[in-house]
Amino acid sequence: MANVLCIGAGYVGGPTMAVIAKNCPGHRVVVVDINAEKIAAWNSERLPIYEPGLDEVVRTARGRNLFFSADIGPNIAEADIIFVSVNTPTKTFGHGAGRAADLQYWEKTARQILENSTSSKVVVEKSTLPVRTAQAMERILNSNDRGLHFDVVSNPEFLAEGTAIQDMEQPDRVLVGARQTASGREAMQAIVDIYAEWVPRERIITANLWSSELSKLVANAFLAQRVSSINAIANLCEKTEADVAEVAHAVGTDSRIGPRFLRASVGFGGSCFKKDILNLVYLCEHYGLPEVAAYWEQVVKMNEYQGTSFVQKMVAAMFNTVAGKRIALLGAAFKANTSDTRESPALAVCRGLLEERASVVITDPYALANAQADLGEQAEQVVFEPDPYVAARDAHAIAVLTEWSHFVELDYEAIFQSMVKPAFVFDGRNILDHKKLHAIGFNVYAVGKPPLTNFTA
Ligand SMILES: NC(=O)c1ccc[n+]([C@@H]2O[C@H](COP(=O)([O-])OP(=O)(O)OC[C@H]3O[C@@H](n4cnc5c(N)ncnc54)[C@H](O)[C@@H]3O)[C@@H](O)[C@H]2O)c1
């Protein structure tokens, strides 16, 4: 039996450790966090994050071999293996501000581990980090004069919010990177053995430390690049009466390209894509590769354009003014099936509409509290309404910004009746039945498709 500890009980630490505990009943798994309120929520009936299937997994293992605690020091002392999944946001100050990763939480954790350790340990990088961070971690940890030895292993997390439990239970792959030394290989094996309890061995990839660290950044850069690529083409479709869904289908059926991540939209969001690409950009610049940096930076710029141009298209369609007009935003979460609003395009659109002095109301099944917090002072100008029918009442327009399936099933006939005419729908996720909406009487604008309007002149 191993004592497994995870430092950081966020979107990654909580779900990943719950799945490890569920599948490894022989190990004791403790998750700690500096945020005592979050730990209290993990110990309650209302978990701090919404993720399909999470409640069941936590219920199976919590109190058996899964524990959440705010008591960090003693749990470090007892642990054999420590996963670190603290936040690594983009730096907002000093050199590299706006691009480089802010490693202050990471480094504090390393020092905390060192301070509280009385035995040698394996430390696992679960957070997404710049390539070669493990070297800094090793240097801090092995600077002790107590004869303690620490092996640092990279095990980046590839889960996607909204499908985190499924992604963890049946991962495409698990990646474990370590130093190619005797103790490095032993540490790597200890982590491989944990996953091998439920993941087929051929899906557990081992690599050198630096390849492992870099692979996570590259995976996110490639995923985001596909979104920006199809969104770039969506803009051209709008100018040429091509339909981006038809183009994506025709292109995606090429087996070399594949169909996934080719849905045009108002843009990608979430805490990771932008931050990880900017981190990659910074690394390329740091290593003297400005052309490579510029290539990847364009993926982020394209995404920002997608949000601002969506607002511009709304304003243009609504007779060049939205000032004072009630506009209902369907969705605040950055994607469906999560309560997370970090970097959500919905909030970017909301801010853009507020600048145009629109009267904005946002509806979302799980993300309203986070949206309110993320909007800060601007939240005072926004109405947060859990009921989409109430949100749409007396609105000039509705805009779909998160692909929640229940938005597809709403009674749009009733919504149309309750709205100001002419009524507009802006489908930023291309999920609604546009022909049906058009037939009801809406003026329908989707991404990368010709608009369907009911104007006669
Ligand atoms: N969210 C995702 O979908 C996702 C997916 C893959 C990888 N990642 C990476 O995983 C890491 C964590 O992401 P997240 O979304 O879980 O972040 P999060 O902000 O939800 O959680 C991080 C947690 O770490 C805690 N923390 C910070 N410093 C601490 C310390 N010294 N001691 C104890 N706890 C501390 C914070 O209080 C917070 O609860 C990031 O590096 C992220 O890039 C995230």
Side-chain angles (χ1 to χ4, degrees), residues 10-12 33-34 38 87-88 127-128 157 161 275 342:
Y11 284 89
V12 168
D33 203 290
I34 36 172
K38 203 177 267 190
N87 35 331
T88 51
S127 301
T128 304
E157 185 47 59
E161 285 175 32
K275 143 177 109 66
R342 291 179 290 183

Side-chain angles (χ1 to χ4, degrees), residues 59-75:
R59 224 174 285 135
T60 308
R62 196 173 57 189
R64 179 189 75 181
N65 66 328
L66 174 66
F67 304 92
F68 294 93
S69 167
D71 207 2
I72 301 177
N75 279 302

Side-chain angles (χ1 to χ4, degrees), residues 221 224-226 228 268 277 294-304:
Q225 180 201 39
R226 278 176 74 95
S228 278
F268 61 74
I277 294 173
Y295 174 77
W296 286 108
E297 188 168 17
Q298 197 56 33
V299 173
V300 174
K301 286 186 179 162
M302 183 63 228
N303 195 54
E304 282 163 1

Side-chain angles (χ1 to χ4, degrees), residues 6-15 32-36 38 42 49 51 72 84-89 104-110 112 126-129 156-162 164 216 220 270-272 275-276 334-335 340 342:
C6 176
I7 302 183
Y11 284 89
V12 168
V32 292
D33 203 290
I34 36 172
N35 184 335
K38 203 177 267 190
W42 279 110
I49 61 173
E51 189 64 57
I72 301 177
V84 184
S85 66
V86 299
N87 35 331
T88 51
Q104 60 170 310
Y105 307 102
W106 180 256
E107 184 172 334
K108 269 184 205 137
T109 311
Q112 228 170 350
K126 190 100 205 62
S127 301
T128 304
L129 296 158
E157 185 47 59
F158 293 104
L159 67 76
E161 285 175 32
K216 172 64 194 178
N220 272 357
S271 66
C272 292
K275 143 177 109 66
D276 293 350
F334 83 90
K335 66 194 282 198
D340 196 350
R342 291 179 290 183

Side-chain angles (χ1 to χ4, degrees), residues 136-375:
M137 189 85 167
E138 285 170 343
R139 285 180 178 166
I140 294 172
L141 290 171
N142 290 321
S143 67
N144 73 84
D145 51 12
R146 286 173 275 154
L148 303 178
H149 176 74
F150 296 88
D151 281 294
V152 179
V153 173
S154 161
N155 169 223
E157 185 47 59
F158 293 104
L159 67 76
E161 285 175 32
T163 52
I165 299 300
Q166 193 188 318
D167 295 343
M168 277 287 295
E169 291 278 14
Q170 289 159 329
D172 288 346
R173 77 322 205 171
V174 168
L175 178 59
V176 188
R179 291 270 191 195
Q180 304 303 307
T181 58
S183 76
R185 275 193 286 271
E186 211 177 293
M188 183 164 79
Q189 193 57 45
I191 306 310
V192 168
D193 287 346
I194 290 179
Y195 288 102
E197 293 279 338
W198 79 97
V199 179
R201 186 60 188 80
E202 65 276 12
R203 290 197 178 197
I204 305 176
I205 304 171
T206 55
N208 86 35
L209 253 180
W210 321 127
S211 310
S212 177
E213 287 180 332
L214 185 57
S215 297
K216 172 64 194 178
L217 293 181
V218 174
N220 272 357
F222 271 54
L223 289 168
Q225 180 201 39
R226 278 176 74 95
V227 178
S228 278
S229 294
I230 198 66
N231 282 343
I233 297 305
N235 286 281
L236 185 57
C237 289
E238 286 171 21
K239 300 284 183 200
T240 56
E241 291 187 31
D243 181 326
V244 74
E246 292 177 355
V247 174
H249 180 64
V251 171
T253 42
D254 185 325
S255 60
R256 293 167 302 175
I257 297 171
R260 298 189 63 192
F261 261 66
L262 284 184
R263 183 186 274 271
S265 71
V266 63
F268 61 74
S271 66
C272 292
F273 281 3
K274 182 177 167 188
K275 143 177 109 66
D276 293 350
I277 294 173
L278 292 177
N279 190 341
L280 189 65
V281 168
Y282 178 78
L283 283 168
C284 293
E285 282 170 351
H286 173 80
Y287 287 107
L289 301 167
E291 289 80 3
V292 184
Y295 174 77
W296 286 108
E297 188 168 17
Q298 197 56 33
V299 173
V300 174
K301 286 186 179 162
M302 183 63 228
N303 195 54
E304 282 163 1
Y305 172 74
Q306 203 62 7
T308 49
S309 67
F310 189 81
V311 174
Q312 282 164 13
K313 280 179 236 168
M314 288 178 77
V315 175
M318 296 172 76
F319 319 113
N320 291 314
T321 177
V322 291
K325 291 180 182 170
R326 181 177 170 95
I327 298 179
L329 305 186
L330 304 193
F334 83 90
K335 66 194 282 198
N337 299 318
T338 177
S339 51
D340 196 350
T341 54
R342 291 179 290 183
E343 299 291 341
S344 174
L347 300 190
V349 168
C350 174
R351 290 190 188 99
L353 291 172
L354 289 176
E355 267 171 41
E356 292 289 339
R357 308 225 170 142
S359 165
V360 178
V361 47
I362 306 186
T363 184
D364 191 287
Y366 288 98
L368 288 185
N370 282 339
Q372 195 161 2
D374 279 7
L375 283 169

